[in-house]
Amino acid sequence: MRLPVVLTSDEVRAVLQGLDGAPRLMACLLYGAGLRVLECCRLRVQDVDFATNQIVGRGGKVDKDRVTMLPAMATPGLVRHLEDVRAQHEADLA
C-alpha cells in the first residue's frame, strides 16, 4: 500500500504562485474549498454565495451536491473573474 503524497504549505504556495488566470483560480478552489475537479468545472454563478462564504459543489461523488466554504484567498480572484465574464457576456449581446 502506498501513502499519498501531501504537499507542505510552502510547496502549495509555490505551485499556486506559478499559475495565473483561470487555472490559478481553479487550483485555489480545489485546494482551499476542497472541491473535486468536476465540481469546480461545473461551478455556476448561483453556486457561489459571497454573503455566507459558501460554495455549492454539484455532482460530486455519487452525484450528490454538497456545501463547502469559500476560501478567502480565492474570493478576490473569483470576483474579478465574474466581472470579466459579465463584461464578455454584455459585449457578446451587443
Side-chain angles (χ1 to χ4, degrees):
M1 181 169 108
R2 291 187 179 169
L3 294 176
V5 176
V6 179
L7 300 177
T8 66
S9 298
D10 291 335
E11 290 170 332
V12 170
R13 192 173 296 110
V15 168
L16 292 177
Q17 288 176 349
L19 297 172
D20 194 30
R24 183 181 197 287
L25 179 57
M26 291 178 76
C28 286
L29 290 172
L30 292 174
Y31 178 72
L35 291 178
R36 296 178 177 95
V37 174
L38 277 179
E39 290 174 332
C40 189
C41 291
R42 292 177 180 163
L43 273 180
R44 300 175 299 176
V45 174
Q46 60 263 32
D47 293 337
V48 181
D49 187 350
F50 291 105
T52 60
N53 289 324
Q54 292 182 334
I55 297 177
V56 177
R58 300 191 185 277
K61 282 187 177 180
V62 196
D63 202 29
K64 288 191 175 184
D65 299 345
R66 64 192 180 107
V67 177
T68 185
M69 64 170 197
L70 174 62
M73 64 187 254
T75 302
L78 192 54
V79 168
R80 190 170 43 256
H81 178 73
L82 291 175
E83 289 170 353
D84 293 345
V85 170
R86 179 168 288 136
Q88 178 67 46
H89 176 69
E90 290 173 1
D92 289 346
L93 291 177

